[in-house]
Amino acid sequence: MNLKEEIIKKISMELMMDFQSIENILEIPPELQMGDYALPCFQLAKRFKKSPNLIASELGKKITCNETVEKVEIVGGYVNIFLNKEKFIRETLLNIVKAGEKYGSSMIGNGKTVVVEFSSPNIAKPFHVGHMCSTVIGNSIERLYKYLGHKTVRINHLGDWGTQFGKLISAYKHWGNEEELKHNPIKELLRIYVQFHDEAKNNPELEDEARIYFKKLEEQDSQTVLLWEKFREVSLNEFKRVYDTLGIEFDSYAGESFYSDKINEVVEIFDKEGLLRESENAKVVSLDEFSLPPCLIIKSDGATIYASRDLAAALYRKRTYDFDKCIYVVGTPQALHFQQVFNVLKIAGFEWYKDCIHVGFGMVRFKDKKMATRSGDVILLEDLLNEAQIKALKKINEISPALENKEDVAKKVGIGAVIYTYLKSGRENDIVFSWDEMLNFEGESAPYVQYTYARGKSVLGKAGSLPENADYSMLRCPEEYILIKLLHDFENILMDAAQKYEPFIITKYITSVARAFNKFYKFCPVLKADEETKKARIHLTQATCNVIKTGFNLLGIEVPERM
Ligand code: ARG
C-alpha cells in the first residue's frame, strides 16, 4: 500500500464510505502550500446533510498527525493534508530504485486472461493512417494489462472475408495483372477493385458473378480459395512491414475467414434457443427489447456476414482462451455493431457477454495540407512513418551532429513522434497531425520526453555506477519534492489508464514527469553538488529514467540512451 492509499483508507474509514468514492474526489492541489492531498467536501454535503465547512472541520480533527501525516489544515470546505515529507521521499525513492524497471508493475491481474483484438485491417486495401489508431491504442492497452500481471492474447482480426472478395476475384479474373500483383500488391488490388465498381455501373451482371464467387469461396472451391489465399498473403506481407517498423507482433492472425466454417454452430445455438427470425429470407435476431435494430446473421442468399463472424469469433475466443475480458479496439463508428453483437450473446444466455468491451476512438485529421496525400485521399501509413524518420534525422543532425547511430536514434524518435501523436489525447478525440508539433523538442512531444531521458542517462553515465546508499533527507528543494510526488503516482496512473482503456493518461503523465525532471535539472545541480546531495540526486535521476522508460514502453515508444 502506498501513502496515498493509506490516506484514502483512513478517510474512508472515518466517513464510512468506500475506498473508490474517496479516491474519486481526493485531489492533488495545484500549489505545494495547499498540501499534498486535498479532500473537497462539497459533494459530501448532501450525503451527510451538513455544510461542507462543517464536514471538513470534523474530518480534519479525526485525521490525526502521525508518521505519515505531518499537518492537517482546514480551509473552507477543504481538508488539506500535508505528508511527512522525509518519510514520503524515503519510501518512494527506495521503492522505485529497488524495483528498477519493474516499478509500477503489479500482480493484480495474476490468473486472469485478457484478449486484446486490435489493428485488424482489411486485406487488399491500403493500411492507412486511420488503422494506426487501433494499432497503437491496442498495442498499448495490451502492454499495460500485461504489466499489471494479466496473461494477454494479441489478436489481429483481419478483414479477410466477405462479399467484397467475390468482387475482387471476379475483377482479377477479368483485369488482373500477375506481375503487378507481385511487385505492388495493394496498388494492383485496389486498382482492379475500383475498376470493378466502375464497370459494374453499366454491367450489373458483374455483381451476380461476384456473389457466385463469394459463394464458391464459402464452399471452399479450391481454385477460388487459391486466388483468395494469394491476395491474403501478399496483403499480409505488406502489413507486416508496418508492424515490424512499429515493433508490433500478434499471437494470432485469425481474421474473419477463420470463422466462416464456424457459423453453422452459431446458427444452431440461436435456432435452438428460438431466437432466429426469418426476415425477407434472411435470418435475423431481433433486438427490440434493447431498442436496437435486428442483428443480421445469415443473408438471404445464405452467405455469412460481418456480425455472424463476430459472434463465432466471440464463442471461439471464450472457449479457446477462457478470457476474463475481451477488448475490441475498433473505431467508434462501429459502436452500434458491437452493441448488437454483445446483446445477441446476452439473450443467447452467455453470461460472459459483459466481459466483452468495445474500446472506440475518433478520427485522424491533418493540420498540414502538405501532409495529405500522394495518391488522393488516403495517406499511407508507411509514407507517414518514413517521412517522420527522415525529418527526425534532419533535426538530430542539427542538434547533435556528432551522435553515433544517428539512423537508429532517428527511427526511435520519428516513430515515437507518430505514436505519441496518436496517444496524446483521449481516444474519442480527433487526432490532429502537425509536423511542427510532433517533432518539437520543447513541446508536448515524444522527442521532448526522449531528449529528457537521454539527458538523465548522460548525467548517470558521467556519475559512474549507482551509489549503493543515499541519504534522501538531502533532497529538500521544492523541485525535488514535486518530481518525487509525481513518480509516486505512477502506480495509480497505470491503474487508472487500464481501467479506462486510455493510454493517453500515461502519455500526459510521462510528459509531466519529463517537465518536472527538467525543472529539477535546472535548479538542482547533480554532479556539482556536495557528495551526499549528489548521491541522493543520482538516485532521483535514476528513478526518473526508470519511470520514463517504462511509461514510454507501455505506449510502444522506445527511448534512445543518447540523443
Ligand atoms: N476490419 C474491420 C475494419 O477495418 C475492423 C474489424 C473490427 N473487429 C471486429 N471484431 N469486428 O473496419
Side-chain angles (χ1 to χ4, degrees):
M1 185 158 59
N2 62 30
L3 295 183
K4 184 179 180 186
E5 284 165 349
E6 220 174 279
I7 286 170
I8 296 174
K9 215 169 142 198
K10 172 81 183 147
I11 297 175
S12 66
M13 252 157 57
E14 292 300 344
L15 294 178
M16 293 199 280
M17 286 173 68
D18 63 290
F19 188 93
Q20 188 65 54
S21 321
I22 301 296
E23 186 174 28
N24 288 345
I25 51 176
L26 192 74
E27 291 175 356
I28 297 184
E31 307 282 344
L32 272 187
Q33 60 270 27
M34 294 156 103
D36 294 297
Y37 296 107
L39 190 81
C41 298
F42 308 97
Q43 292 177 39
L44 305 174
K46 225 179 177 169
R47 178 184 181 119
F48 293 108
K49 302 202 175 60
K50 284 180 197 166
S51 74
N53 292 25
L54 186 59
I55 300 172
S57 73
E58 286 178 358
L59 178 63
K61 281 184 204 125
K62 287 187 197 146
I63 304 178
T64 41
C65 296
N66 56 16
E67 258 210 296
T68 309
V69 177
E70 189 172 83
K71 189 167 74 169
V72 180
E73 267 180 12
I74 312 301
V75 182
Y78 284 93
V79 183
N80 293 343
I81 299 166
F82 296 77
L83 297 174
N84 175 333
K85 286 201 180 54
E86 217 180 297
K87 176 177 188 236
F88 176 79
I89 290 175
R90 190 176 57 243
E91 287 192 2
T92 305
L93 278 188
L94 270 179
N95 194 2
I96 307 179
V97 173
K98 202 170 86 204
E101 283 179 9
K102 288 212 169 64
Y103 175 59
S105 66
S106 156
M107 312 230 275
I108 199 161
N110 273 10
K112 293 199 188 114
T113 300
V114 175
V115 169
V116 187
E117 184 220 281
F118 65 106
S119 199
S120 312
N122 299 324
I123 66 165
K125 293 266 175 69
F127 195 120
H128 61 78
V129 292
H131 284 127
M132 180 73 165
C133 292
S134 172
T135 309
V136 298
I137 295 171
N139 182 48
S140 174
I141 290 178
E142 184 275 336
R143 282 168 181 243
L144 181 56
Y145 272 85
K146 192 174 195 165
Y147 199 60
L148 297 178
H150 301 79
K151 179 170 176 239
T152 56
V153 187
R154 303 158 65 93
I155 297 182
N156 193 329
H157 188 78
L158 283 181
D160 59 1
W161 207 248
T163 39
Q164 69 272 31
F165 293 100
K167 294 180 187 175
L168 209 56
I169 288 164
S170 151
Y172 190 75
K173 297 229 168 185
H174 291 292
W175 317 290
N177 177 328
E178 208 175 331
E179 272 308 296
E180 275 301 303
L181 187 67
K182 226 186 248 156
H183 299 300
N184 247 323
I186 302 282
K187 205 168 152 210
E188 171 67 0
L189 290 171
L190 199 61
R191 179 187 73 79
I192 59 171
Y193 193 67
V194 170
Q195 186 168 0
F196 179 92
H197 281 274
D198 286 345
E199 306 251 349
K201 276 185 212 136
N202 304 321
N203 183 3
E205 276 128 59
L206 277 172
E207 298 278 358
D208 296 325
E209 185 182 293
R211 257 190 293 280
I212 294 169
Y213 276 124
F214 182 54
K215 191 122 198 108
K216 279 187 166 184
L217 198 56
E218 291 223 283
E219 285 158 1
Q220 301 287 323
D221 170 69
S222 58
Q223 282 279 311
T224 318
V225 170
L226 223 57
L227 207 49
W228 167 84
E229 270 172 355
K230 193 171 187 153
F231 297 161
R232 186 178 193 275
E233 190 194 317
V234 292
S235 306
L236 203 51
N237 287 344
E238 296 281 295
F239 300 158
K240 279 186 177 160
R241 265 213 317 276
V242 175
Y243 295 139
D244 276 351
T245 310
L246 295 172
I248 287 181
E249 284 175 12
F250 291 92
D251 298 311
S252 159
Y253 281 94
E256 291 186 46
S257 66
F258 182 74
Y259 302 102
S260 68
D261 64 356
K262 298 177 179 62
I263 308 272
N264 279 345
E265 191 197 344
V266 175
V267 174
E268 272 165 28
I269 291 174
F270 295 140
D271 218 7
K272 219 161 74 209
E273 298 285 324
L275 295 172
L276 283 186
R277 227 168 20 83
E278 295 264 334
S279 167
E280 294 164 29
N281 276 332
K283 291 193 198 323
V284 305
V285 174
S286 159
L287 294 170
D288 288 349
E289 57 179 299
F290 307 103
S291 310
L292 292 173
C295 183
L296 186 55
I297 306 284
I298 295 283
K299 293 214 272 191
S300 54
D301 61 2
T304 65
I305 186 157
Y306 188 51
S308 38
R309 293 191 281 275
D310 255 326
L311 288 164
L315 290 174
Y316 177 86
R317 290 175 189 171
K318 182 67 192 172
R319 206 175 284 156
T320 310
Y321 307 112
D322 192 23
F323 59 73
D324 294 274
K325 245 187 223 286
C326 181
I327 298 171
Y328 297 76
V329 187
V330 185
T332 301
Q334 294 196 32
L336 176 63
H337 162 76
F338 285 108
Q339 274 181 29
Q340 290 178 298
V341 169
F342 299 162
N343 278 311
V344 170
L345 292 171
K346 179 179 181 178
I347 52 179
F350 298 110
E351 266 310 302
W352 48 265
Y353 84 92
K354 348 185 228 9
D355 306 323
C356 296
I357 296 141
H358 171 217
V359 169
F361 51 81
M363 307 253 281
V364 184
R365 286 188 289 129
F366 286 82
K367 218 181 218 171
D368 299 341
K369 271 279 174 304
K370 269 183 284 158
M371 231 166 161
T373 172
R374 181 184 63 177
S375 54
D377 46 358
V378 292
I379 298 165
L380 298 184
L381 188 59
E382 222 173 353
D383 292 350
L384 185 78
L385 295 175
N386 287 340
E387 182 95 14
Q389 292 176 74
I390 294 169
K391 284 195 155 51
L393 185 60
K394 215 170 128 209
K395 271 248 161 150
I396 288 162
N397 273 325
E398 282 163 25
I399 57 166
S400 324
L403 188 74
E404 285 171 27
N405 300 331
K406 267 187 274 195
E407 256 89 39
D408 185 51
V409 174
K411 183 176 175 200
K412 289 176 178 155
V413 171
I415 305 293
V418 175
I419 298 179
Y420 185 101
T421 304
Y422 276 98
L423 299 180
K424 80 181 222 191
S425 3
R427 290 185 271 112
E428 302 283 353
N429 296 339
D430 288 354
I431 295 160
V432 184
F433 265 107
S434 136
W435 284 121
D436 283 345
E437 282 166 35
M438 266 160 83
L439 291 169
N440 180 354
F441 279 49
E442 267 110 54
E444 235 184 278
S445 68
Y448 170 73
V449 175
Q450 289 166 319
Y451 199 62
T452 307
Y453 175 82
R455 172 177 283 161
K457 287 303 269 192
S458 144
V459 171
L460 292 172
K462 286 185 190 136
S465 61
L466 190 71
E468 213 164 291
N469 293 308
D471 176 3
Y472 297 138
S473 68
M474 304 309 288
L475 303 172
R476 293 188 211 111
C477 302
E479 288 79 20
E480 293 168 327
Y481 189 56
I482 290 172
L483 176 58
I484 294 166
K485 267 180 65 174
L486 265 173
L487 299 179
H488 178 82
D489 223 17
F490 192 42
E491 291 172 338
N492 297 321
I493 291 289
L494 296 186
M495 289 298 197
D496 195 32
Q499 264 159 22
K500 297 185 177 135
Y501 313 104
E502 281 286 20
F504 96 101
I505 294 176
I506 305 176
T507 318
K508 283 262 174 296
Y509 166 81
I510 294 296
T511 310
S512 38
V513 169
R515 218 172 276 130
F517 177 78
N518 284 324
K519 275 224 174 98
F520 154 76
Y521 182 80
K522 187 164 164 202
F523 292 108
C524 316
V526 180
L527 300 171
K528 290 202 182 106
D530 64 82
E531 207 43 40
E532 284 310 308
T533 310
K534 179 174 155 183
K535 280 189 194 163
R537 287 184 179 161
I538 288 173
H539 274 213
L540 178 54
T541 304
Q542 176 70 53
T544 308
C545 285
N546 286 351
V547 169
I548 292 181
K549 185 172 181 181
T550 306
F552 254 33
N553 268 331
L554 291 173
L555 299 175
I557 304 177
E558 289 185 78
V559 282
E561 298 294 303
R562 270 171 229 263
M563 242 171 107

